[in-house]
Amino acid sequence: QSLFGEKNLIEVVFPRATIGKNGPAAVEAIIEHADEDKMVVVSLFDYDWTATKKDWFNHLMKAAVCIRTDPIDRNALPRWIMERAKEKNGQTLTPDAANLIAERTEGNLLATSQEIQKLALLVNKPEIDVSDVLDAVSDVSRFDQESLFLAMLEGDAGQVSKIIDSLQGENVQIPSFLWMLTDVVRNLLLLNRGLAARTFGLSEAHRSALNRAARRANPKLLELMLHRLSDVDRMSKGLFVESSDGDAWQELKAVCLMLSLKRK
């Protein structure tokens, strides 16, 4: 319940394609008990055409306002970015600029939308190219988030823990910066394997810390970190992860501390 609101917001998440033996009865109960004092949001992930034939699904659709959000294919994401920037900001993005945003946000639409909003605030011109995007990404890095990446790379466990607690306390949404954190770990893995990392837009301190961390980190550790960051992403979106207790912030902290506590 909101501090000043009169209604209760109830969020119900079905993370799988099937809702189990007791699921239909639960849906019927949700519909039956919803009233003017309750706003109920039901999220159905990964359902297919077979679910649409079920009674519970049809009852839910009749009782609710349905908003369908299909995933956007990676190849279609740059065009989506260009259309959204034009619609929201009245700005035209070059194809290369849209591709760069798509690459950095890796399909995370929340992060992508935020980047488009930042461009509107920071770039006062009708057409935006790659250099504009690079400058904006560099300029808008949150202090706490950039500090988190550097503390993780330097192996400062105390600072890592403190910054993550601060981000959680400020109610920062994990998906808004998780893609950047994942990019840090991928760069570490590339450098560890003797390959070139994607370091454009990064500060000199960040690049130096990357190189130092890559020399000491075990590649198996980095691969494990990427796997667990994928779990963090799922948990932050309300999806079930069997190997975790469901606390996305604690899992995020555990992953970031892995570089602090492990060495070759």
Side-chain angles (χ1 to χ4, degrees):
Q1 186 173 24
S2 171
L3 181 62
F4 301 106
E6 298 178 353
K7 290 186 176 182
N8 290 307
L9 174 63
I10 302 172
E11 296 184 81
V12 183
V13 179
F14 291 106
R16 296 170 179 164
T18 58
I19 63 174
K21 182 175 65 174
N22 299 321
V27 171
E28 296 293 346
I30 291 169
I31 296 172
E32 180 183 348
H33 290 92
D35 56 38
E36 294 182 355
D37 295 327
K38 300 183 183 72
M39 172 72 73
V40 183
V41 179
V42 180
S43 298
L44 302 173
F45 290 90
D46 196 30
Y47 72 87
D48 55 23
W49 67 271
T50 59
T52 65
K53 305 297 183 183
K54 304 292 185 181
D55 288 341
W56 65 264
F57 186 94
N58 291 311
H59 292 169
L60 183 60
M61 293 302 102
K62 290 177 182 178
V65 174
C66 180
I67 302 174
R68 178 166 178 160
T69 54
D70 292 318
I72 298 175
D73 183 79
R74 172 61 181 85
N75 293 331
L77 188 56
R79 178 174 292 278
W80 182 89
I81 291 171
M82 294 170 72
E83 291 174 350
R84 190 171 182 86
K86 190 70 174 178
E87 176 188 349
K88 295 293 184 180
N89 309 342
Q91 294 172 309
T92 300
L93 269 67
T94 65
D96 287 343
N99 269 313
L100 177 58
I101 295 175
E103 179 182 335
R104 295 191 70 95
T105 57
E106 297 186 337
N108 187 316
L109 295 187
L110 174 60
T112 303
S113 181
Q114 288 181 332
E115 292 303 319
I116 293 171
Q117 292 174 22
K118 291 171 187 174
L119 287 173
L121 294 172
L122 296 171
V123 184
N124 186 23
K125 54 190 291 192
E127 182 169 298
I128 295 175
D129 57 24
V130 170
S131 62
D132 296 320
V133 175
L134 288 174
D135 290 342
V137 168
S138 176
D139 289 344
V140 301
S141 295
R142 284 180 57 86
F143 171 77
D144 278 352
Q145 294 170 20
E146 179 72 9
S147 299
L148 171 61
F149 305 151
L150 289 175
M152 182 183 74
L153 293 172
E154 296 290 0
D156 189 340
Q159 187 72 349
V160 166
S161 182
K162 181 178 179 180
I163 293 172
I164 290 178
D165 288 342
S166 173
L167 290 171
Q168 183 179 10
E170 293 174 11
N171 200 29
V172 174
Q173 298 301 304
I174 289 177
S176 69
F177 68 92
L178 187 64
W179 64 274
M180 291 185 284
L181 181 57
T182 302
D183 203 47
V184 169
V185 180
R186 286 197 175 128
N187 272 331
L188 284 174
L189 194 55
L190 288 171
L191 290 169
N192 186 275
R193 292 172 173 170
L195 301 174
R198 299 178 299 176
T199 57
F200 45 77
L202 298 183
S203 65
E204 180 61 34
H206 198 146
R207 289 196 294 269
S208 298
L210 268 173
N211 287 320
R212 290 193 298 271
R215 287 194 292 268
R216 73 167 190 264
N218 185 296
K220 291 184 178 179
L221 170 69
L222 297 174
E223 291 171 359
L224 177 60
M225 291 177 69
L226 284 176
H227 177 75
R228 292 185 65 176
L229 285 173
S230 177
D231 287 343
V232 172
D233 183 51
R234 290 177 60 82
M235 284 187 286
S236 70
K237 297 172 182 174
L239 298 175
F240 175 74
V241 175
E242 188 173 355
S243 59
S244 174
D245 63 2
D247 190 323
W249 283 103
Q250 288 303 311
E251 181 69 9
L252 176 67
K253 183 183 291 188
V255 177
C256 292
L257 289 173
M258 291 173 77
L259 272 183
S260 306
L261 304 176
K262 298 285 185 181
R263 297 289 187 272
K264 276 187 175 179

